[in-house]
Amino acid sequence: MSVVPAPRWRVAAGGSVAGTLRMPGDKSISHRALMLGALAEGDTHISGFLEAEDCLATARALASLGVQVERRAPTEMLVHGVGMHGLSPAEEPLDMGNAGTAMRLMMGVLAPQRFDSTLIGDESLMRRPMERVAVPLQMMGARIQTQEGRPPVRIRGTPHLRAVQYSVPVASAQVKSAVLLAGLYASGITRVTEPAPTRDHTERMLGAFGASLRREGRSVALDGGIGLRGARVSVPADFSSAAFFIVAGCLAAERPLLLPNVGINPTRTGLIELLRRMGADIRVREIGAAGPDAEPVADMEVRRSSLRGITVPESLVPLSIDEFPVFFIAAACANGETLVRGALELRVKESDRLAAMAAGLAVLGVEHQLLPDGLWIRGAGSLGGGAVESRGDHRIAMAFAVAALRARAPIEITDVANVATSFPGFLRIARKAGLKIEPL
Ligand code: S3P
């Protein structure tokens, strides 16, 4: 039975965390496994699938496009691939819920089809920028219309796309991935160059599904017109979910906190580097990756450490982009000043995460300055309590739950339902870890 999450949480101040915590499957990899599985010939078995609202939105969208997606167990999916040209038109607009990744990657999948599609989402997704994906796809000959840059995204299917050479202006794995997915259908070599490395799950998985692609420095080149074949995908635990407990461990693990089987793809783990620079004791034991396309996985161990503020190198921003909400909590609990710049992208996530975190830190009495592209924080060692707005953003809600470990008074967090988009078991796991968290 699924329980509808309560709209608010109350987290008691203080306490400690310990134990072995199994994190849910990786969201980025789960989305991609469903999509590539759908476009492949033959079956794709997905284990460790993230059974969260975002990935279920992708599964539902693919089902509306005629793909049989069987849920064998909560974390086991079997996708019966229809092949590159086997999708059929959906009767209704495809509702991608809160999931930016689902919408943007599906733009790449749907642009080269022989039918038209419309993509919509929830209130947050309907505000998010989509032109960044529409522009390169239009260069390939796709016909896509947004509403002043935002959803609904209306796609006139155009089966004969041209390969492009595209330099992505902002570091975005979603843009890169959408162009590569459309490139599967284009004649010739599609080459995407990024301004800085971003998560490379699409490239790895395309390789594992039989696509022909090469990495050339900051570029990836894909040969169009080559079909995919179904594969077995074993999804590691999501580093971005583990991040909340990595920081919780740094703040309050009197005994070691263990996180088994976490994905440690180096394009995702910037947070480890940042926390180590702050003085964190994080141990990572890699448990082997089979082959060049496999996702690296590790058991992690975290202990309480006294953290000091740092200046975050801009090169690490894309490698820790989803972890800033909880990183800012670490910074607020550290001694000394922390400065993050070059993080403008945080303003166009599920919420404006710079503004949301600044507002919450103000409630907790943390001295900070909101900058156009970042945040300056003077760490205070401990925090006050109060009522913090999550703005319906899952990562803001979970970050402030972790903050309570170092608070002097309870923290109340509003509008937490969207935690189910990425981490449906958060409340249970947080309690198991030692957080005193109650739904209101
Ligand atoms: C994602 C890429 C990132 C990240 C998002 C997931 C992906 O977005 O923030 O949570 O799965 O490709 P951008 O591509 O907008 O940076």
PDB file of all heavy atoms in Angstrom, residues 303-323:
ATOM      1  N   ARG A 303      31.837   9.536   8.969  1.00  0.00           N
ATOM      2  CA  ARG A 303      31.874   9.790  10.413  1.00  0.00           C
ATOM      3  C   ARG A 303      31.759  11.291  10.667  1.00  0.00           C
ATOM      4  O   ARG A 303      32.151  12.084   9.818  1.00  0.00           O
ATOM      5  CB  ARG A 303      33.232   9.368  10.987  1.00  0.00           C
ATOM      6  CG  ARG A 303      33.417   7.884  11.086  1.00  0.00           C
ATOM      7  CD  ARG A 303      34.882   7.546  10.894  1.00  0.00           C
ATOM      8  NE  ARG A 303      34.982   6.255  10.227  1.00  0.00           N
ATOM      9  CZ  ARG A 303      35.195   5.113  10.863  1.00  0.00           C
ATOM     10  NH1 ARG A 303      35.379   5.105  12.151  1.00  0.00           N
ATOM     11  NH2 ARG A 303      35.233   3.982  10.199  1.00  0.00           N
ATOM     12  N   ARG A 304      31.339  11.626  11.843  1.00  0.00           N
ATOM     13  CA  ARG A 304      31.242  13.027  12.220  1.00  0.00           C
ATOM     14  C   ARG A 304      32.624  13.673  12.143  1.00  0.00           C
ATOM     15  O   ARG A 304      33.612  13.088  12.595  1.00  0.00           O
ATOM     16  CB  ARG A 304      30.711  13.135  13.649  1.00  0.00           C
ATOM     17  CG  ARG A 304      30.538  14.561  14.095  1.00  0.00           C
ATOM     18  CD  ARG A 304      30.081  14.628  15.535  1.00  0.00           C
ATOM     19  NE  ARG A 304      30.317  15.980  16.007  1.00  0.00           N
ATOM     20  CZ  ARG A 304      29.377  16.764  16.496  1.00  0.00           C
ATOM     21  NH1 ARG A 304      28.163  16.329  16.648  1.00  0.00           N
ATOM     22  NH2 ARG A 304      29.667  17.995  16.856  1.00  0.00           N
ATOM     23  N   SER A 305      32.687  14.850  11.589  1.00  0.00           N
ATOM     24  CA  SER A 305      33.964  15.559  11.475  1.00  0.00           C
ATOM     25  C   SER A 305      33.697  17.025  11.759  1.00  0.00           C
ATOM     26  O   SER A 305      32.569  17.496  11.585  1.00  0.00           O
ATOM     27  CB  SER A 305      34.532  15.476  10.066  1.00  0.00           C
ATOM     28  OG  SER A 305      34.072  14.357   9.366  1.00  0.00           O
ATOM     29  N   SER A 306      34.737  17.749  12.166  1.00  0.00           N
ATOM     30  CA  SER A 306      34.479  19.179  12.309  1.00  0.00           C
ATOM     31  C   SER A 306      34.836  19.838  10.978  1.00  0.00           C
ATOM     32  O   SER A 306      35.933  19.672  10.445  1.00  0.00           O
ATOM     33  CB  SER A 306      35.220  19.751  13.517  1.00  0.00           C
ATOM     34  OG  SER A 306      36.491  20.107  13.151  1.00  0.00           O
ATOM     35  N   LEU A 307      33.848  20.501  10.407  1.00  0.00           N
ATOM     36  CA  LEU A 307      33.987  21.042   9.053  1.00  0.00           C
ATOM     37  C   LEU A 307      34.437  22.500   9.098  1.00  0.00           C
ATOM     38  O   LEU A 307      34.086  23.230  10.026  1.00  0.00           O
ATOM     39  CB  LEU A 307      32.649  20.945   8.315  1.00  0.00           C
ATOM     40  CG  LEU A 307      32.030  19.547   8.169  1.00  0.00           C
ATOM     41  CD1 LEU A 307      30.684  19.641   7.443  1.00  0.00           C
ATOM     42  CD2 LEU A 307      32.971  18.603   7.419  1.00  0.00           C
ATOM     43  N   ARG A 308      35.197  22.908   8.092  1.00  0.00           N
ATOM     44  CA  ARG A 308      35.553  24.332   7.942  1.00  0.00           C
ATOM     45  C   ARG A 308      35.099  24.823   6.570  1.00  0.00           C
ATOM     46  O   ARG A 308      35.043  24.047   5.619  1.00  0.00           O
ATOM     47  CB  ARG A 308      37.061  24.536   8.156  1.00  0.00           C
ATOM     48  CG  ARG A 308      37.909  23.613   7.358  1.00  0.00           C
ATOM     49  CD  ARG A 308      39.397  23.713   7.660  1.00  0.00           C
ATOM     50  NE  ARG A 308      40.084  22.777   6.795  1.00  0.00           N
ATOM     51  CZ  ARG A 308      40.283  21.505   7.091  1.00  0.00           C
ATOM     52  NH1 ARG A 308      39.929  21.020   8.255  1.00  0.00           N
ATOM     53  NH2 ARG A 308      40.869  20.706   6.207  1.00  0.00           N
ATOM     54  N   GLY A 309      34.798  26.111   6.507  1.00  0.00           N
ATOM     55  CA  GLY A 309      34.288  26.699   5.264  1.00  0.00           C
ATOM     56  C   GLY A 309      35.317  26.667   4.149  1.00  0.00           C
ATOM     57  O   GLY A 309      36.528  26.636   4.409  1.00  0.00           O
ATOM     58  N   ILE A 310      34.835  26.669   2.917  1.00  0.00           N
ATOM     59  CA  ILE A 310      35.736  26.667   1.749  1.00  0.00           C
ATOM     60  C   ILE A 310      35.179  27.590   0.662  1.00  0.00           C
ATOM     61  O   ILE A 310      34.005  27.961   0.686  1.00  0.00           O
ATOM     62  CB  ILE A 310      35.893  25.259   1.122  1.00  0.00           C
ATOM     63  CG1 ILE A 310      34.519  24.676   0.713  1.00  0.00           C
ATOM     64  CG2 ILE A 310      36.635  24.316   2.040  1.00  0.00           C
ATOM     65  CD1 ILE A 310      34.602  23.479  -0.212  1.00  0.00           C
ATOM     66  N   THR A 311      36.048  27.891  -0.302  1.00  0.00           N
ATOM     67  CA  THR A 311      35.580  28.497  -1.554  1.00  0.00           C
ATOM     68  C   THR A 311      35.454  27.358  -2.566  1.00  0.00           C
ATOM     69  O   THR A 311      36.412  26.619  -2.794  1.00  0.00           O
ATOM     70  CB  THR A 311      36.594  29.550  -2.050  1.00  0.00           C
ATOM     71  OG1 THR A 311      36.617  30.597  -1.081  1.00  0.00           O
ATOM     72  CG2 THR A 311      36.205  30.120  -3.404  1.00  0.00           C
ATOM     73  N   VAL A 312      34.279  27.210  -3.120  1.00  0.00           N
ATOM     74  CA  VAL A 312      34.021  26.084  -4.026  1.00  0.00           C
ATOM     75  C   VAL A 312      34.587  26.411  -5.411  1.00  0.00           C
ATOM     76  O   VAL A 312      34.207  27.424  -6.011  1.00  0.00           O
ATOM     77  CB  VAL A 312      32.500  25.829  -4.115  1.00  0.00           C
ATOM     78  CG1 VAL A 312      32.162  24.833  -5.209  1.00  0.00           C
ATOM     79  CG2 VAL A 312      31.977  25.352  -2.765  1.00  0.00           C
ATOM     80  N   PRO A 313      35.482  25.568  -5.928  1.00  0.00           N
ATOM     81  CA  PRO A 313      35.979  25.811  -7.289  1.00  0.00           C
ATOM     82  C   PRO A 313      34.836  25.673  -8.297  1.00  0.00           C
ATOM     83  O   PRO A 313      34.060  24.722  -8.212  1.00  0.00           O
ATOM     84  CB  PRO A 313      37.013  24.702  -7.504  1.00  0.00           C
ATOM     85  CG  PRO A 313      37.202  24.025  -6.202  1.00  0.00           C
ATOM     86  CD  PRO A 313      36.035  24.343  -5.329  1.00  0.00           C
ATOM     87  N   GLU A 314      34.758  26.600  -9.236  1.00  0.00           N
ATOM     88  CA  GLU A 314      33.628  26.563 -10.186  1.00  0.00           C
ATOM     89  C   GLU A 314      33.616  25.269 -10.996  1.00  0.00           C
ATOM     90  O   GLU A 314      32.553  24.804 -11.417  1.00  0.00           O
ATOM     91  CB  GLU A 314      33.645  27.782 -11.107  1.00  0.00           C
ATOM     92  CG  GLU A 314      33.221  29.025 -10.368  1.00  0.00           C
ATOM     93  CD  GLU A 314      32.844  30.191 -11.269  1.00  0.00           C
ATOM     94  OE1 GLU A 314      32.523  29.978 -12.458  1.00  0.00           O
ATOM     95  OE2 GLU A 314      32.877  31.332 -10.760  1.00  0.00           O
ATOM     96  N   SER A 315      34.803  24.682 -11.184  1.00  0.00           N
ATOM     97  CA  SER A 315      34.859  23.444 -11.976  1.00  0.00           C
ATOM     98  C   SER A 315      34.108  22.300 -11.290  1.00  0.00           C
ATOM     99  O   SER A 315      33.703  21.341 -11.939  1.00  0.00           O
ATOM    100  CB  SER A 315      36.310  23.033 -12.212  1.00  0.00           C
ATOM    101  OG  SER A 315      36.922  22.797 -10.961  1.00  0.00           O
ATOM    102  N   LEU A 316      33.917  22.392  -9.981  1.00  0.00           N
ATOM    103  CA  LEU A 316      33.199  21.320  -9.271  1.00  0.00           C
ATOM    104  C   LEU A 316      31.689  21.538  -9.236  1.00  0.00           C
ATOM    105  O   LEU A 316      30.950  20.658  -8.796  1.00  0.00           O
ATOM    106  CB  LEU A 316      33.738  21.173  -7.846  1.00  0.00           C
ATOM    107  CG  LEU A 316      35.130  20.546  -7.726  1.00  0.00           C
ATOM    108  CD1 LEU A 316      35.592  20.497  -6.273  1.00  0.00           C
ATOM    109  CD2 LEU A 316      35.155  19.137  -8.311  1.00  0.00           C
ATOM    110  N   VAL A 317      31.235  22.700  -9.700  1.00  0.00           N
ATOM    111  CA  VAL A 317      29.792  22.990  -9.605  1.00  0.00           C
ATOM    112  C   VAL A 317      28.950  21.994 -10.418  1.00  0.00           C
ATOM    113  O   VAL A 317      28.028  21.386  -9.875  1.00  0.00           O
ATOM    114  CB  VAL A 317      29.494  24.461  -9.970  1.00  0.00           C
ATOM    115  CG1 VAL A 317      27.992  24.696 -10.139  1.00  0.00           C
ATOM    116  CG2 VAL A 317      30.062  25.384  -8.898  1.00  0.00           C
ATOM    117  N   PRO A 318      29.271  21.744 -11.725  1.00  0.00           N
ATOM    118  CA  PRO A 318      28.411  20.793 -12.454  1.00  0.00           C
ATOM    119  C   PRO A 318      28.485  19.370 -11.885  1.00  0.00           C
ATOM    120  O   PRO A 318      27.551  18.597 -12.054  1.00  0.00           O
ATOM    121  CB  PRO A 318      28.963  20.808 -13.886  1.00  0.00           C
ATOM    122  CG  PRO A 318      29.818  22.018 -13.978  1.00  0.00           C
ATOM    123  CD  PRO A 318      30.309  22.335 -12.603  1.00  0.00           C
ATOM    124  N   LEU A 319      29.574  19.055 -11.212  1.00  0.00           N
ATOM    125  CA  LEU A 319      29.746  17.692 -10.685  1.00  0.00           C
ATOM    126  C   LEU A 319      29.023  17.495  -9.352  1.00  0.00           C
ATOM    127  O   LEU A 319      29.032  16.393  -8.791  1.00  0.00           O
ATOM    128  CB  LEU A 319      31.242  17.364 -10.525  1.00  0.00           C
ATOM    129  CG  LEU A 319      32.100  17.604 -11.766  1.00  0.00           C
ATOM    130  CD1 LEU A 319      33.545  17.192 -11.515  1.00  0.00           C
ATOM    131  CD2 LEU A 319      31.552  16.835 -12.968  1.00  0.00           C
ATOM    132  N   SER A 320      28.460  18.580  -8.829  1.00  0.00           N
ATOM    133  CA  SER A 320      27.723  18.468  -7.556  1.00  0.00           C
ATOM    134  C   SER A 320      26.432  19.273  -7.634  1.00  0.00           C
ATOM    135  O   SER A 320      25.883  19.660  -6.609  1.00  0.00           O
ATOM    136  CB  SER A 320      28.600  18.954  -6.395  1.00  0.00           C
ATOM    137  OG  SER A 320      29.411  20.038  -6.769  1.00  0.00           O
ATOM    138  N   ILE A 321      25.926  19.452  -8.861  1.00  0.00           N
ATOM    139  CA  ILE A 321      24.838  20.418  -9.070  1.00  0.00           C
ATOM    140  C   ILE A 321      23.596  20.117  -8.236  1.00  0.00           C
ATOM    141  O   ILE A 321      22.969  21.037  -7.704  1.00  0.00           O
ATOM    142  CB  ILE A 321      24.503  20.549 -10.586  1.00  0.00           C
ATOM    143  CG1 ILE A 321      23.618  21.757 -10.838  1.00  0.00           C
ATOM    144  CG2 ILE A 321      23.896  19.294 -11.179  1.00  0.00           C
ATOM    145  CD1 ILE A 321      24.281  23.076 -10.630  1.00  0.00           C
ATOM    146  N   ASP A 322      23.233  18.853  -8.086  1.00  0.00           N
ATOM    147  CA  ASP A 322      21.998  18.532  -7.340  1.00  0.00           C
ATOM    148  C   ASP A 322      22.230  18.497  -5.829  1.00  0.00           C
ATOM    149  O   ASP A 322      21.274  18.372  -5.060  1.00  0.00           O
ATOM    150  CB  ASP A 322      21.429  17.187  -7.805  1.00  0.00           C
ATOM    151  CG  ASP A 322      20.849  17.271  -9.209  1.00  0.00           C
ATOM    152  OD1 ASP A 322      20.590  18.400  -9.688  1.00  0.00           O
ATOM    153  OD2 ASP A 322      20.670  16.216  -9.837  1.00  0.00           O
ATOM    154  N   GLU A 323      23.481  18.592  -5.419  1.00  0.00           N
ATOM    155  CA  GLU A 323      23.806  18.437  -3.998  1.00  0.00           C
ATOM    156  C   GLU A 323      23.929  19.769  -3.263  1.00  0.00           C
ATOM    157  O   GLU A 323      24.179  19.790  -2.051  1.00  0.00           O
ATOM    158  CB  GLU A 323      25.114  17.642  -3.845  1.00  0.00           C
ATOM    159  CG  GLU A 323      24.960  16.153  -4.067  1.00  0.00           C
ATOM    160  CD  GLU A 323      24.425  15.761  -5.435  1.00  0.00           C
ATOM    161  OE1 GLU A 323      25.183  15.774  -6.420  1.00  0.00           O
ATOM    162  OE2 GLU A 323      23.217  15.458  -5.524  1.00  0.00           O
TER     163      GLU A 323
END
